[in-house]
Amino acid sequence: MTTPDRPRSRASGPPSPSPPSLTRSPFESDTFTSATFVTVGSGPVLALAAVWLLTRVGMLVLLAGDSLGIGGVGHEVQLLYRYWYGLFADGTFPPSDPTWQYPPGAGLVIMAPGLLMPWLGYTQAFVALTLLADAVITLGLAVADRSRITHGAWYWVCALPLLLHLPLARYDVQATALAVLALLLFKGRSPAAHRLGGALAGLGALVKVWPALALIGTPRGRTTREAWTAAAVTAGTLLGVLALCFSDTLGFLRQQGARGIQIESLGGTALALARAAGLWPGTAQIRYGAYEYVGPYVSTLGHLFLLLTVAAVIWLVLWRLRATRWNEATPLDAALAVVLLFTVTSRVISPQYLVWLLGLAAVCLTSRRTVMRPVALLLLPAAALSALAYPVLYADVVLGTPAGLTVMALRNALLLAAAAVAAVRLWTSTVTPVRE
């Protein structure tokens, strides 16, 4: 339900343009955003394609060398994904494997390189499919506004390389593609588009869970019923098929429940600062495939962050019940705000999480009515600092050196600020009454 438009004046003649507001945020300025996001005039398709090609070649070169910082970014695909692929070929999900922490739909992404393996090795096939998903995201963002290339396409193309070669060696680009396409479909008015968007969100939920949050901002009524029903049917059907074809389909739940405080999370940064100040005696150890902190108060801090996640869920439900104003940007803005809230309250913030956030920010920027432009700006330095933390300075992050502490504190402060700004702007744009 939307609020009625304000009555127009009955005065004759065309309305005079409103004077510029002296209190208007610079982030709302078309001139500012055009300059910031390198938007050019009509016909920049070749320029966008050229930048995409050049930056992705650079990412491939970095992955081929794989020697920045601690190196070994590509080992997850070369060793772990390849090992899981062999298990799937035997008809089982990884049994009792602490590193398998993903919903069963992720197995489809891990198995997909097999389609190209008659011509490519597993790693090369995986990277090729990741680049294909990246190209699909870029094309979808570009097509979102046929009159000109939108800010979103340029934002995605230029922002993803801030994470260096990491996006090519994780399957988060594929998951992000499902969420991005779902949100772009929700911008349309066709019931078929809403159902297809819901189906993609449901598929994404089984691949990485978080793409289901693309559904949270759909307008109440028919759109929500169509999209949510399609998501539930798609996820339920796929889960049933996977359960019939593979054993131990839900084994990942055992691993997720036992996760601790990862060193790159907000809780991890708090413990690292306390350790540097001599207030906490714990250490960092590899557990469940990542460095986590072990020591006193870790369990208590983990429970605290679970409570913060519950608080985020309560806020989300309250927002959904109180929101009265929807426009084409609301589903996009809501998805970014909610994923940010769940990210900063998580016990785990892996660097590839920034792929999700950059993708959602790019979708927001395809709409002139978005309120997330400041958030999109905050995510750019956060992404660059994430790449600096891993892989470039990861040894410093693990050891808690001044350089490692500084990078993580700055990155997490930016994420926390982005989440706060996103939540406030979503609430004020959809819930807070408009002053007459």
Side-chain angles (χ1 to χ4, degrees):
M1 176 179 178
T2 57
T3 56
D5 293 337
R6 195 179 300 178
R8 294 184 179 180
S9 172
R10 297 182 179 273
S12 60
S16 57
S18 301
S21 172
L22 295 179
T23 60
R24 188 182 185 191
S25 167
F27 293 111
E28 305 296 337
S29 165
D30 287 336
T31 302
F32 178 85
T33 55
S34 295
T36 303
F37 297 116
V38 205
T39 300
V40 295
S42 60
V45 177
L46 290 179
L48 182 70
V51 173
W52 184 90
L53 183 61
L54 288 173
T55 52
R56 274 48 182 183
V57 167
M59 294 167 70
L60 284 170
V61 170
L62 289 175
L63 183 61
D66 205 5
S67 58
L68 280 179
I70 64 167
V73 171
H75 288 171
E76 185 151 331
V77 176
Q78 298 163 5
L79 303 178
L80 197 56
Y81 288 10
R82 184 66 180 83
Y83 165 69
W84 289 337
Y85 175 83
L87 293 177
F88 293 136
D90 292 334
T92 181
F93 280 82
S96 303
D97 185 346
T99 60
W100 176 256
Q101 301 151 12
Y102 311 110
L108 299 176
V109 181
I110 304 300
M111 287 186 282
L115 299 173
L116 302 179
M117 285 178 66
W119 305 279
L120 299 172
Y122 182 86
T123 300
Q124 291 77 19
F126 181 89
V127 172
L129 291 177
T130 303
L131 286 171
L132 178 61
D134 176 17
V136 168
I137 293 173
T138 304
L139 181 61
L141 294 169
V143 172
D145 184 353
R146 290 185 174 85
S147 63
R148 65 185 180 95
I149 296 297
T150 59
H151 302 150
W154 279 103
Y155 181 94
W156 171 257
V157 168
C158 297
L160 192 66
L162 293 175
L163 295 170
L164 304 176
H165 50 303
L166 178 71
L168 300 181
R170 302 291 186 272
Y171 80 91
D172 296 88
V173 174
Q174 289 88 326
T176 302
L178 294 171
V180 166
L181 295 178
L183 289 167
L184 291 176
L185 287 166
F186 292 153
K187 290 177 65 178
R189 297 182 179 180
S190 166
H194 299 159
R195 287 191 289 269
L196 180 56
L200 290 175
L203 176 59
L206 277 190
V207 169
K208 199 75 172 181
V209 178
W210 72 265
L213 297 174
L215 298 163
I216 202 62
T218 53
R220 288 194 289 265
R222 182 178 179 181
T223 301
T224 290
R225 289 194 300 272
E226 292 167 344
W228 291 30
T229 300
V233 170
T234 301
T237 301
L238 181 58
L239 180 59
V241 171
L242 290 172
L244 286 174
C245 297
F246 298 89
S247 62
D248 208 22
T249 308
L250 299 180
F252 77 101
L253 294 174
R254 294 190 297 270
Q255 320 308 335
Q256 279 291 349
R259 292 298 300 268
I261 300 293
Q262 190 189 32
I263 64 174
E264 295 162 81
S265 66
L266 268 72
T269 298
L271 290 174
L273 291 172
R275 184 175 65 171
L279 302 176
W280 182 70
T283 59
Q285 296 180 6
I286 294 182
R287 300 175 71 246
Y288 300 97
Y291 274 99
E292 296 182 353
Y293 280 120
V294 177
Y297 312 118
V298 170
S299 178
T300 301
L301 189 62
H303 290 139
L304 174 61
F305 272 84
L306 285 176
L307 289 176
L308 290 175
T309 300
V310 172
V313 172
I314 294 172
W315 181 90
L316 172 60
V317 173
L318 184 62
W319 169 80
R320 179 79 191 181
L321 294 174
R322 295 282 305 277
T324 57
R325 296 190 303 278
W326 259 270
N327 58 55
E328 69 161 23
T330 303
L332 322 180
D333 294 346
L336 177 57
V338 172
V339 173
L340 265 169
L341 286 174
F342 286 158
T343 296
V344 298
T345 60
S346 173
R347 295 170 295 170
V348 179
I349 305 181
S350 298
Q352 58 265 30
Y353 287 17
L354 270 294
V355 176
W356 319 345
L357 299 174
L358 293 176
L360 293 175
V363 178
C364 290
L365 295 176
T366 64
S367 173
R368 286 180 174 273
R369 305 188 70 177
T370 184
V371 295
M372 294 295 159
R373 291 191 180 102
V375 179
L377 287 177
L378 288 170
L379 290 176
L380 293 175
L385 286 168
S386 291
L388 192 58
Y390 180 85
V392 179
L393 295 177
Y394 198 59
D396 293 271
V397 173
V398 173
L399 295 174
T401 68
L405 286 173
T406 300
V407 169
M408 290 313 309
L410 288 175
R411 197 286 300 269
N412 286 338
L414 285 169
L415 288 181
L416 188 60
V421 171
V424 169
R425 291 177 76 86
L426 178 65
W427 186 276
T428 56
S429 66
T430 57
V431 177
T432 304
V434 178
R435 295 181 181 180
E436 299 291 340

